[in-house]
C-alpha cells in the first residue's frame, strides 16, 4: 500500500520537508536554532483557524432551534389546598399579557436596550467579547459570567435552562446565531420583553409595569422604564423597596441608564433633564389576589414552602405547584368569625380606640400543624400579618414558661450550692411589691433602685404555692422564681418550648414577667408543647408539595424534647386550674389570660383536644409608630374578657 501511494505523494515531498521542523535548525545559532520558521508559524495558525472554523460550521449546522418552549411559556398558577384537600386559593400571573412591540413605547424599549444591549439592532445575535470573557472566567477562575446579547438572553429564557455552564453557553450562542437569521430583530425584542423576569412574581414588561407602578406599560415614561430595565439585572439587588442598599443601587443604575440613552442618541439632553427625581415604585405589588383572610394563609404557606422545599423565587413564580397546607377550613372560619364579631363590638362600644385596634390569633396542633390564623382585617389593605408579628409583650401569659423552668432546673439560693428541686407545692411570697433578690442581696437596676415585683391591681396573696400562683396569675412568685432558677434557664426553656430567641427580652428580672414579644403563632406553639407532654414540634403550614403531579421533597419538622413529661403535666394541670378558676363552665380545657403592666396588650392562650390557640389584642397606630398604646378598655373586663371570648369561640367552647 505504501509502495502504491509513494509515486502519487512524491510531488508533495519537497513541501513536506519544508514544513517538517528540523531541530536544532541548521544555519541558526543560539536560541534561534530551536524556534520554528515563519512558514511553520503561519501554517500552524492557518491550520488552527481552519479547524476552529470547520468545527463552528459543523456545530452551527447541527444545532436546531428547539421546538419546545421553556416552562415560562406555559406559566401556571400555584394552587393552595385546605387540609381536607379542597382548593383554597390560586396565585400567580397566569393571565400574562403579551404586549405587541408596537404597543410598547419606544422610550421603554430603548431604556431596556440601553441597559442590556445597545448594539442589538446591529449585532449578529451574539457577543464574541462576552462569550470570550465567559470562557476565560470558566477556564481560568472556575466560574462563569454573562455578557450576553438580548438575543442570547431570549434564547436562554425560551429554550434553555438557567444553568451557568460552558456547554449551555455554547448552545445558546449557536441557537442565537440561527435565531438572528430566522427572526427579525423586532420579533426577538418583543419576545424578550414579554418573557423576561422582573421580580415581584412578574414575567413580561406589562406585568412588571403593573406590579411596580400600577399601570399599563403604554403609560410608562422613560424614567419609570429605566427603573424596570434595572430589574433585569436582578430584582433582588435593584428593587428599591427591599432595602436602603437596594435603593441606592437602583438610583445609581436608573441614572446611568438614562445617561446611556442620551449617549446612544435615544434621549435628548433636554428630555434627560426632566428626569431628576427617582420615580419611586409602589411599596409592594399585589402578588396575591385570593381573599381578605386567605391571603394571610397563602403568605404563610408560600414562605414556608420556599424555605422547606428550597424553591427559589424565580422557580416559584413560574408556577405549577400544588401546595397542600395544614389549614383547617372549619377552624379558620370559626377563628375569623370570632375576631370579626369582637371587632364590630369594639367599633360600637369604643369607636375611638377601635380605630387603632389590632387582633392577632393562631391555632396550632400539638404536632406542629398551623390550623388557623387571623392575620388582619384584609390583606389587600393591611399586608401586616398580626398572627406572625412579634410586636407586643407577652405579659403574664409568659408565666407558664417560668414555672416550667423552675420545675425543670430547680433553684439555687447560693452561687455555688447545689440546685434544690421545685414542685407545684413549693411556696413563694405572693405579696405585691416584694423586692427581687439574688444570693448576694437585693437586685438593683441601672438607675440604682431596688427592683420589686408587682401583681395586677397591686393585690397581695401572702405565702402561696407555685401551682396556685399560676392558677390565679400571681406575678410576684414567678419573678423571684426566675432569679432563683436562672434567667438563662428561663430563656432556654421558653425557646425550647417554641418561642423565638429573637423575640426574647433582655436577661433581666422583667424577663420572667413577660418582656418577650412572641407572635400569636409562637405563643400557641409554646402552650402546645405542654399539652404534648413536653415534646415540641416547630409550627409548619405545608404538609405536601407537588409540581405537575411530581412530589417535591419537603422538609417536615420532627418532635424534640423541650421539657420533661412530668414538668409538662404539672404545667398543664396548673393551666387547667387557671381556666376553671376564671371560667368554671369551660370544661376540661387548659388556658391562661395574660396582661401587661402598662395595659398595652391582653392575651389568652390555652389548649383543648390537642389544639392550642393564642389570641392577642392591642392598640397601635401604624401610621405614626410601632409603639403600643393603652388599651382603654378594648380588651373588656374580667367578666367579659375579649381575648378569652375569641379563644373560647374558636375552640368551640363559647
Amino acid at each position: 500500500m505504501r509502495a502504491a501511494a509513494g509515486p502519487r505523494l512524491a510531488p508533495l515531498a519537497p513541501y513536506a520537508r519544508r514544513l517538517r521542523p528540523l531541530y536544532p535548525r541548521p544555519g541558526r545559532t543560539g536560541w534561534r536554532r530551536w524556534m520554528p520558521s515563519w512558514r511553520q508559524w503561519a501554517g500552524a495558525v492557518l491550520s488552527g483557524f481552519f479547524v476552529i472554523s470547520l468545527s463552528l460550521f459543523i456545530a452551527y449546522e447541527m444545532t436546531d432551534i428547539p421546538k419546545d418552549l421553556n416552562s415560562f411559556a406555559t406559566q401556571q398558577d400555584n394552587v393552595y389546598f385546605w387540609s381536607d384537600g379542597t382548593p383554597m386559593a390560586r396565585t400567580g400571573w397566569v393571565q400574562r399579557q403579551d404586549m405587541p412591540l408596537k404597543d410598547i413605547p419606544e422610550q421603554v424599549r430603548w431604556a431596556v436596550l440601553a441597559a442590556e444591549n445597545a448594539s442589538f439592532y446591529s449585532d449578529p445575535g451574539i457577543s464574541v467579547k462576552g462569550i470570550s470573557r465567559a470562557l476565560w472566567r470558566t477556564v481560568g477562575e472556575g466560574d462563569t459570567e454573562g455578557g450576553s446579547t438580548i438575543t442570547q438572553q431570549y434564547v436562554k429564557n425560551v429554550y434553555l435552562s438557567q444553568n451557568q455552564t460552558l456547554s449551555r453557553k455554547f448552545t445558546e450562542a449557536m441557537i442565537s446565531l440561527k435565531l438572528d437569521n430566522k427572526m427579525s430583530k423586532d420579533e426577538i425584542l418583543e419576545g424578550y420583553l414579554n418573557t423576561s423576569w422582573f421580580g415581584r412574581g412578574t414575567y413580561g414588561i406589562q406585568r412588571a409595569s403593573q406590579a411596580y407602578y400600577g399601570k399599563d406599560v403604554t403609560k410608562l415614561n422613560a424614567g419609570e422604564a429605566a427603573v424596570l430595565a434595572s430589574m433585569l439585572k436582578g430584582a433582588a439587588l435593584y428593587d428599591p423597596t427591599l432595602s436602603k442598599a437596594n435603593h441606592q443601587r437602583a438610583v445609581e443604575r436608573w441614572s446611568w441608564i438614562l445617561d446611556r440613552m442620551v449617549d446612544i442618541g435615544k434621549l435628548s439632553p433636554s428630555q434627560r433633564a426632566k428626569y431628576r427625581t427617582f420615580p419611586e415604585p409602589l411599596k409592594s405589588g399585589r402578588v396575591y389576589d385570593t381573599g381578605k383572610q386567605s391571603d394571610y394563609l397563602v403568605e404563610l404557606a408560600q414562605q414556608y414552602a420556599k424555605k422547606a422545599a428550597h424553591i427559589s423565587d424565580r422557580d416559584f413564580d413560574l408556577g405549577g405547584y400544588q401546595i397542600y397546607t395544614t389549614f383547617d377550613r372549619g377552624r379558620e372560619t370559626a377563628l375569623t368569625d370570632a375576631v370579626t364579631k369582637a371587632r364590630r363590638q369594639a367599633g360600637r362600644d369604643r369607636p375611638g380606640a377601635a380605630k387603632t385596634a389590632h387582633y392577632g390569633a393562631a391555632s396550632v396542633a400539638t404536632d406542629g400543624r398551623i390550623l388557623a390564623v387571623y392575620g388582619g382585617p384584609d390583606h389587600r389593605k393591611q399586608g401586616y400579618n398580626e398572627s406572625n408579628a412579634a410586636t407586643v409583650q407577652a405579659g403574664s401569659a409568659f408565666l407558664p414558661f417560668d414555672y416550667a423552668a423552675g420545675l425543670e432546673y430547680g433553684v439555687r439560693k447560693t452561687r455555688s450550692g447545689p440546685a434544690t428541686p421545685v414542685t407545684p407545692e413549693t411556696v413563694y411570697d405572693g405579696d405585691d411589691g416584694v423586692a427581687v433578690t439574688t444570693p448576694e442581696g437585693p437586685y438593683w437596676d441601672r438607675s440604682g433602685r431596688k427592683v420589686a415585683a408587682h401583681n395586677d391591681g397591686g393585690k397581695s396573696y401572702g405565702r402561696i404555692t407555685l401551682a396556685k400562683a399560676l392558677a390565679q396569675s400571681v406575678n410576684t412568685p414567678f419573678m423571684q422564681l426566675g432569679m432563683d432558677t436562672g434567667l438563662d434557664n428561663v430563656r432556654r426553656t421558653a425557646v425550647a418550648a417554641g418561642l423565638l430567641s429573637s423575640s426574647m427580652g433582655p436577661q433581666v428580672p422583667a424577663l420572667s414577667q413577660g418582656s418577650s414579644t412572641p407572635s400569636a403563632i409562637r405563643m400557641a406553639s409554646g402552650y402546645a408543647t405542654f399539652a404534648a407532654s413536653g415534646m415540641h414540634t416547630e409550627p409548619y403550614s405545608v404538609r405536601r408539595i407537588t409540581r405537575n403531579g411530581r412530589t417535591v421533597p419537603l422538609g417536615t419538622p420532627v418532635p424534640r424534647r423541650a421539657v420533661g413529661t412530668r414538668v409538662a403535666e404539672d404545667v398543664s394541670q396548673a393551666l387547667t386550674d387557671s381556666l376553671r378558676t376564671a371560667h368554671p363552665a369551660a370544661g376540661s380545657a387548659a388556658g391562661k389570660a395574660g396582661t401587661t403592666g402598662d395595659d398595652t396588650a391582653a392575651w389568652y392562650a390555652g389548649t383543648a383536644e390537642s389544639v392550642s390557640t393564642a389570641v392577642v389584642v392591642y392598640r397601635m397606630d401604624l401610621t405614626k409608630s410601632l409603639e403600643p398604646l393603652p388599651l382603654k378598655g378594648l380588651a373588656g373586663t374580667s367578666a367579659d374578657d375579649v381575648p378569652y371570648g375569641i379563644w373560647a369561640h374558636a375552640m368551640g367552647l363559647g
Side-chain angles (χ1 to χ4, degrees), residues 49-285:
F49 179 80
F50 175 79
V51 171
I52 292 174
S53 299
L54 181 62
S55 299
L56 291 175
F57 176 79
I58 294 172
Y60 177 85
E61 289 298 319
M62 293 182 66
T63 300
D64 294 323
I65 298 175
K67 295 180 180 180
D68 296 327
L69 301 180
N70 262 342
S71 56
F72 89 91
T74 54
Q75 183 186 353
Q76 306 170 65
D77 54 4
N78 292 318
V79 185
Y80 297 79
F81 297 88
W82 292 102
S83 59
D84 63 3
T86 57
M88 181 183 78
R90 294 174 180 267
T91 65
W93 298 117
V94 180
Q95 303 298 326
R96 190 187 66 212
Q97 300 172 19
D98 285 349
M99 295 294 291
L101 193 66
K102 63 182 179 61
D103 293 337
I104 300 175
E106 188 172 344
Q107 286 191 338
V108 175
R109 295 181 237 163
W110 278 105
V112 172
L113 292 173
E116 295 294 307
N117 185 189
S119 63
F120 170 73
Y121 279 99
S122 60
D123 65 39
I126 64 171
S127 168
V128 176
K129 180 180 179 182
I131 294 174
S132 300
R133 183 166 63 246
L135 176 62
W136 169 254
R137 289 184 62 84
T138 302
V139 175
E141 301 182 24
D143 112 44
T144 59
E145 184 173 290
S148 302
T149 65
I150 277 181
T151 305
Q152 288 174 266
Q153 293 181 51
Y154 176 58
V155 167
K156 180 178 65 176
N157 290 344
V158 178
Y159 301 111
L160 304 176
S161 71
Q162 302 297 321
N163 296 333
Q164 291 284 0
T165 63
L166 197 58
S167 62
R168 200 273 296 156
K169 196 75 177 175
F170 182 80
T171 303
E172 171 190 298
M174 293 298 103
I175 296 176
S176 297
L177 285 170
K178 279 206 166 182
L179 204 67
D180 195 71
N181 289 327
K182 183 178 179 180
M183 296 174 64
S184 71
K185 289 289 189 179
D186 282 350
E187 288 175 325
I188 293 172
L189 180 59
E190 178 179 305
Y192 174 78
L193 292 175
N194 282 316
T195 58
S196 293
W197 189 67
F198 288 82
R200 295 196 181 185
T202 63
Y203 281 82
I205 198 163
Q206 167 70 342
R207 282 301 191 186
S209 178
Q210 293 169 346
Y212 286 90
Y213 288 105
K215 56 187 175 183
D216 289 344
V217 67
T218 57
K219 299 179 181 179
L220 289 180
N221 59 40
E224 294 162 338
V227 174
L228 295 187
S230 300
M231 302 304 160
L232 294 168
K233 198 75 172 175
L237 292 174
Y238 290 95
D239 186 338
T241 65
L242 298 181
S243 67
K244 289 183 178 179
N246 270 30
H247 193 278
Q248 182 178 347
R249 279 191 292 267
V251 172
E252 290 173 355
R253 186 155 180 81
W254 166 78
S255 181
W256 177 84
I257 291 173
L258 290 173
D259 290 340
R260 179 69 172 149
M261 290 178 71
V262 174
D263 293 341
I264 63 177
K266 298 303 177 181
L267 199 66
S268 68
S270 60
Q271 289 174 316
R272 171 66 178 91
K274 296 178 182 178
Y275 303 109
R276 295 299 178 190
T277 303
F278 183 73
E280 300 288 350
L282 301 173
K283 291 297 181 183
S284 62

